[in-house]
Amino acid sequence: TRPPRAPLWAETMPAAEVAGSVEASAKCKMTLDSCHEQDVVGTSNLRVILLCIFVANTGFFHGYDNGVVSDVFTMPSFRDMMGWPEHDDTAAAFEKGLTVNGFNIGAAISAVLCGHLIVDRHGRKPALILGSLLFALGGLVQSTAVSGPMLITGRLIAGVGVGVTSCAGPAYIAEVAPSKIRGAMVGIYQSNICLAIVGASLLNYYDHTMPTGWRWSLSVQIFLGVITALGLFFCSDTPRFLE
């Protein structure tokens, strides 16, 4: 059996030129493969970055709930609902303290307990969904409150939700984000806390004199929590937890 005949161009070219052409073709193929791999990696990284930015929205929970309440205390319609006088007395000051610290107490306790009981045992995604729904529920109770105890209860519920997301959010981002931008992605979470405080102050400024302005301000928590919880259903859990 005759061996396969070399291409005509190979017969008419010197051996050195043939070897060079083959080497150049191989390099070109390697370059194309490398470019394709870079395109795939780039697209994957972009999706991961967008995912991290979305999860970092849970930082809005902490900032908004902290920022909204201080200006709500000064709204005339809110003070009428609470039965507070024009100038704070001892009872009003005490209720203010419970309202503010009810959120902080709920967040502190849940952050300590839920980090292991929920985030580590059941995953970052379920914890984020649970925290978002609790935050929305707390906002619903606060915005429909008709008394001080009801308002404080809503603050406590929202605080528990924020404590959960404060554990699960940064953990999720750190385990998913590319190593080169991991710190930046987690930093977005912290930036969102500050942005939410500013946003809450602006909203309170515009609805300060409205009869139901304080209810509108507090109800924003419902939308933030529900939208985030729904979006998380389309996200997968982190590879580290799935291991």
Side-chain angles (χ1 to χ4, degrees):
T1 305
R2 293 184 178 182
R5 185 176 179 181
L8 182 61
W9 60 268
E11 294 180 354
T12 58
M13 291 178 62
E17 292 186 14
V18 172
S21 299
V22 173
E23 183 179 355
S25 300
K27 288 183 177 179
C28 182
K29 184 177 183 303
M30 291 174 62
T31 302
L32 292 174
D33 291 342
S34 176
C35 291
H36 177 69
E37 290 177 1
Q38 290 178 0
D39 290 341
V40 172
V41 171
T43 303
S44 177
N45 283 345
L46 177 60
R47 292 176 180 175
V48 170
I49 290 171
L50 293 176
L51 175 62
C52 290
I53 291 174
F54 176 76
V55 173
N57 287 337
T58 54
F60 287 126
F61 298 174
H62 197 169
Y64 190 85
D65 214 325
N66 267 327
V68 73
V69 71
S70 58
D71 288 335
V72 164
F73 285 160
T74 66
M75 295 184 181
S77 57
F78 176 80
R79 297 184 71 88
D80 290 341
M81 185 277 296
M82 294 291 288
W84 293 350
E86 185 177 353
H87 301 287
D88 290 345
D89 55 13
T90 304
F94 180 71
E95 283 191 325
K96 276 187 176 183
L98 289 178
T99 303
V100 172
N101 292 302
F103 171 81
N104 295 328
I105 292 171
I109 295 175
S110 65
V112 173
L113 297 179
C114 296
H116 176 64
L117 297 177
I118 298 179
V119 179
D120 290 339
R121 291 188 177 183
H122 302 286
R124 288 63 165 141
K125 175 183 173 180
L128 286 168
I129 294 174
L130 175 63
S132 300
L133 292 176
L134 286 174
F135 180 75
L137 176 61
L140 177 63
V141 175
Q142 291 176 62
S143 60
T144 57
V146 294
S147 64
M150 185 175 178
L151 178 72
I152 295 168
T153 300
R155 295 278 297 169
L156 182 65
I157 296 172
V160 172
V162 167
V164 176
T165 57
S166 294
C167 287
Y172 189 105
I173 296 170
E175 293 176 359
V176 170
S179 59
K180 293 183 179 179
I181 57 172
R182 187 169 296 142
M185 293 294 98
V186 176
I188 293 176
Y189 177 92
Q190 180 63 39
S191 299
N192 286 344
I193 295 177
C194 301
L195 291 174
I197 295 173
V198 175
S201 298
L202 291 175
L203 180 58
N204 284 337
Y205 174 80
Y206 286 109
D207 63 13
H208 184 85
T209 58
M210 295 174 57
T212 57
W214 66 274
R215 295 190 187 275
W216 285 109
S217 291
L218 295 175
S219 67
V220 170
Q221 300 170 84
I222 305 172
F223 300 102
L224 287 175
V226 170
I227 291 173
T228 303
L230 291 176
L232 287 167
F233 278 104
F234 300 95
C235 303
S236 61
D237 216 327
T238 63
R240 184 177 294 276
F241 175 76
L242 295 175
E243 289 176 356

